[in-house]
Amino acid sequence: MRANQFEDLKHKVQEIIDLIASKDNKAANNKLLEVSEALDELLDYSDEDEDLREISKYQVLLNQLFQKINPQNE
């Protein structure tokens, strides 16, 4: 998988963090859903162990961000 796909994910995750910091949880949640879908698509087409490990790191991070945005869903 190309490194630029992970760079793109990194930038999008940073956008989510910035939206959370600015207390725009609705926009952060929408962006999180968008990134989650992109990550699922990457997962569907990845078969290299290194890529799968990187994807799993992003999945954990997105789950943590989701909990931060939606604390009542715990």
Side-chain angles (χ1 to χ4, degrees):
M1 184 171 302
R2 297 187 182 132
N4 62 351
Q5 289 176 313
F6 288 119
E7 274 299 310
D8 187 42
L9 274 176
K10 182 178 176 181
H11 292 291
K12 289 179 179 179
V13 168
Q14 185 60 51
E15 287 178 41
I16 296 168
I17 294 169
D18 293 343
L19 289 167
I20 293 170
S22 67
K23 306 222 185 286
D24 189 353
N25 286 349
K26 184 174 182 177
N29 200 39
N30 290 338
K31 189 67 161 180
L32 189 135
L33 291 174
E34 175 188 322
V35 174
S36 292
E37 289 175 5
L39 196 60
D40 287 344
E41 190 171 317
L42 285 176
L43 184 60
D44 288 342
Y45 296 105
S46 296
D47 55 357
E48 295 182 28
D49 287 344
E50 185 177 330
D51 291 343
L52 296 173
R53 280 191 295 274
E54 191 70 19
I55 289 169
S56 70
K57 291 176 189 178
Y58 279 102
Q59 287 176 319
V60 169
L61 178 56
L62 290 179
N63 285 336
Q64 292 297 317
L65 291 172
F66 179 83
Q67 291 301 318
K68 181 74 174 171
I69 295 168
N70 304 293
Q72 71 278 6
N73 292 338
E74 292 181 348

